[in-house]
Amino acid sequence: MRENDMLEKDEIFSKVLRAGRRTYFFDVRATKADDYYITITESKKFTEEDGSFHFKKHKIYLYKEDFAAFTEILEEMTAYVLNHKGEEVISERHQKDFKKEYHNEINEETKPIDKSFTDIDFDDI
């Protein structure tokens, strides 16, 4: 069997969640013994200065014996966040039109003075 045939056989059921620069892939896969497990993959797109891009991926393997505890803790954690912070997204970084602004202008009046600095003319040396 070709490798692609094995990958297609391995993947049983899939869902995709697109969330800005991140994409989450939820896949049900089969082991060699034909038992099922879940993979959760986070894929994040990074754009280079030249316009090219690459993806960084992180994967979690979740096996049946851990489903109940994983689900319980995930529900507890999401409920905690929503109860304490609500559903509104506070961070502007998560907005689709967010652009990081840099303020590199330094006002000469507020610029700290380094009193340990000595101005040396190399002709004096």
Side-chain angles (χ1 to χ4, degrees):
M1 244 191 211
R2 294 180 316 168
E3 187 175 331
N4 288 344
D5 292 338
M6 287 298 290
L7 289 176
E8 289 175 15
K9 184 179 176 191
D10 236 8
E11 205 168 285
I12 309 301
F13 180 68
S14 296
K15 290 271 189 172
V16 176
L17 171 62
R18 298 194 192 290
R21 289 185 343 168
R22 290 182 172 88
T23 302
Y24 299 96
F25 299 92
F26 298 85
D27 299 301
V28 174
R29 297 184 177 268
T31 64
K32 289 180 182 177
D34 202 32
D35 201 4
Y36 289 172
Y37 65 98
I38 296 172
T39 61
I40 303 170
T41 306
E42 176 201 37
S43 178
K44 189 173 179 183
K45 184 177 183 178
F46 290 89
T47 305
E48 305 293 338
E49 290 180 14
D50 65 0
S52 64
F53 57 89
H54 68 280
F55 294 92
K56 286 189 179 178
K57 295 182 180 183
H58 299 94
K59 188 173 280 200
I60 296 173
Y61 294 84
L62 188 58
Y63 299 95
K64 287 192 312 188
E65 60 267 22
D66 301 323
F67 285 3
F70 186 91
T71 302
E72 182 181 318
I73 291 172
L74 182 61
E75 287 175 355
E76 182 181 353
M77 300 304 278
T78 55
Y80 180 89
V81 170
L82 295 175
N83 288 337
H84 286 84
K85 294 295 180 180
E87 292 187 25
E88 181 184 0
V89 177
I90 298 170
S91 173
E92 62 183 7
R93 291 176 185 264
H94 296 291
Q95 303 302 320
K96 289 184 179 185
D97 58 350
F98 174 75
K99 289 190 170 118
K100 191 170 185 176
E101 295 179 17
Y102 294 97
H103 298 286
N104 289 335
E105 299 172 18
I106 298 175
N107 185 341
E108 289 297 324
E109 294 174 10
T110 60
K111 185 177 178 181
I113 299 171
D114 185 359
K115 297 192 186 279
S116 65
F117 176 78
T118 305
D119 191 11
I120 298 175
D121 187 355
F122 286 102
D123 292 334
D124 294 339
I125 297 180

